[in-house]
Amino acid sequence: MKRKGWLVPIVVFLISIIFLFSYQQKQEVVSFADTTNLPPIIWSEKSTDIVKVTYEAAGKVTEAVREEDNWSLSTSNNRKADALYIYNVITPFLEPLFEQVVEVSPSDLTTYGIDDMASSITLYDEAGHEYKVIKGKAFNEKSDYVYAPLTDTVYTMSNTAFGSISTNSNDWGSKELLNFELTNVKKINLTYKGHAATLMPTITENGIALASEELDNRLANEFMNFLQTAKIQSFITEEANEHVLSVYGFNAPLLKCTIHLKTGDTLSLTIGNVNEEENICYTQVNGRSEIVGIPYFNLSQFNILYSELHDKDDDRLG
């Protein structure tokens, strides 16, 4: 009787074990089936390995090239590019997170909105490898169809990847105006309305400051601080012809400034017209043909303070 009493629990235990084992096998099969359509990582690169990026949209090409740590826009007169902006652009494509495989070796890419006018981004590494992704139409409100030529496959991908890329090349350009430290400056030549002044770095109790025989020292240091901290706030035009230069006041510029560095290099800045209402100075930097807008600086101070310093109307700087 005691043996019969143990028989039922033993049978129930064995049935439970068999059921549990069968359930686990079923779950493993289901789990495998659910993930077979997830794409593999088809490439993985570091940002430091990328030496060129090309973005095409609506027939327009923007290309940035890196030499050592400096990025420049080869499609915009090799002007300096914004390294942080480019890093943000390429990051989603360094190891693209494709969501699912849609079709391998697609017979008709136009089905997914991928044609000659589709947007695309291509990364190039130091070895010359190309990593290209072409954007198609929307898959849903959060994802797009994309095509990777490297695997000849259509995937879905978050629309934030392409959505964060601007088609305006000015957004790719560096917003830096001039990049210099007073410790590296040998001298500064400044001309305001044809009247010249020389600014020389001097050692003071508070560090290095500028001094000038022709200009009030306070104004000299205020203006240099402005040039060190000011950022380009707008790009007016990349190629300025004579008419455009005249319209923005560069046929008779208000101010010219040349910064001579101890390395032998020079930095230059020319200010044409000043628009107080729009809080902007129209400027050309380092001899480039483009015109940019920088924050307003009251250049009339050069005239007033120079007069106060010399106490002669005919000695005014302007």
Side-chain angles (χ1 to χ4, degrees):
M1 293 296 294
K2 290 182 180 180
R3 290 181 180 178
K4 289 182 180 180
W6 281 101
L7 182 60
V8 174
I10 292 173
V11 171
V12 172
F13 175 74
L14 291 175
I15 292 174
S16 299
I17 292 296
I18 293 171
F19 176 79
L20 180 61
F21 180 75
S22 175
Y23 177 78
Q24 287 179 332
Q25 282 191 319
K26 183 179 179 181
Q27 287 299 102
E28 290 177 0
V29 171
V30 171
S31 177
F32 178 77
D34 287 344
T35 58
T36 51
N37 67 339
L38 292 178
I41 296 175
I42 59 177
W43 70 72
S44 180
E45 294 290 312
K46 298 178 181 178
S47 60
T48 52
D49 295 329
I50 304 303
V51 296
K52 184 170 72 171
V53 54
T54 301
Y55 177 61
E56 298 184 46
K60 182 179 179 181
V61 179
T62 302
E63 183 177 86
V65 179
R66 179 174 66 85
E67 291 186 8
E68 297 182 350
D69 295 328
N70 299 314
W71 284 92
S72 61
L73 298 176
S74 56
T75 47
S76 296
N77 298 320
N78 293 314
R79 84 166 186 247
K80 189 174 182 180
D82 187 333
L84 179 59
Y85 179 84
I86 293 174
Y87 173 80
N88 291 332
V89 165
I90 69 177
T91 293
F93 303 96
L94 294 172
E95 186 178 294
L97 299 177
F98 300 130
E99 296 168 341
Q100 61 178 320
V101 175
V102 178
E103 184 178 357
V104 179
S105 299
S107 57
D108 185 8
L109 285 173
T110 59
T111 302
Y112 306 102
I114 298 170
D115 54 26
D116 293 339
M117 295 301 291
S119 302
S120 69
I121 187 170
T122 309
L123 310 184
Y124 301 82
D125 64 15
E126 293 177 337
H129 300 131
E130 299 182 15
Y131 306 101
K132 186 172 187 176
V133 180
I134 306 174
K135 176 185 175 300
K137 62 184 179 181
F139 170 68
N140 57 34
E141 62 180 10
K142 294 183 178 181
S143 303
D144 294 325
Y145 289 111
V146 297
Y147 173 67
L150 190 63
T151 56
D152 190 22
T153 301
V154 175
Y155 306 94
T156 60
M157 186 178 189
S158 170
N159 56 23
T160 59
F162 275 95
S164 62
I165 308 177
S166 172
T167 57
N168 188 340
S169 61
N170 290 333
D171 292 331
W172 293 65
S174 172
K175 311 307 181 292
E176 183 179 86
L177 181 62
L178 294 172
N179 182 20
F180 69 96
E181 297 290 339
L182 282 180
T183 54
N184 297 326
V185 173
K186 184 178 180 180
K187 69 175 181 177
I188 297 171
N189 293 122
L190 186 146
T191 303
Y192 176 73
K193 292 184 177 179
H195 295 264
T198 300
L199 287 61
M200 301 294 295
T202 59
I203 299 176
T204 68
E205 295 180 356
N206 299 321
I208 298 178
L210 294 173
S212 174
E213 294 182 358
E214 303 88 1
L215 190 65
D216 180 85
N217 290 344
R218 183 175 63 83
L219 175 59
N221 286 279
E222 181 184 341
F223 184 64
M224 283 304 109
N225 181 66
F226 168 77
L227 294 185
Q228 284 183 289
T229 58
K231 300 292 184 181
I232 295 173
Q233 62 184 26
S234 60
F235 291 86
I236 310 303
T237 180
E238 289 187 10
E239 293 288 345
N241 56 34
E242 291 186 7
H243 174 70
V244 173
L245 290 173
S246 176
V247 168
Y248 286 96
F250 291 99
N251 57 333
L254 283 174
L255 182 142
K256 290 184 177 182
C257 179
T258 303
I259 303 171
H260 300 268
L261 303 178
K262 294 177 181 178
T263 59
D265 298 324
T266 60
L267 304 173
S268 65
L269 177 140
T270 303
I271 296 179
N273 291 336
V274 173
N275 190 325
E276 295 185 40
E277 293 182 0
E278 296 185 9
N279 192 36
I280 191 172
C281 294
Y282 298 111
T283 308
Q284 287 188 304
V285 183
N286 293 331
R288 295 195 295 266
S289 61
E290 66 182 5
I291 299 174
V292 299
I294 65 174
Y296 171 74
F297 187 88
N298 185 8
L299 296 180
S300 64
Q301 295 179 86
F302 288 100
N303 192 36
I304 297 171
L305 292 179
Y306 186 88
S307 174
E308 291 177 352
L309 180 67
H310 290 271
D311 197 27
K312 291 182 180 179
D313 289 340
D314 57 352
D315 280 341
R316 280 186 169 190
L317 237 165

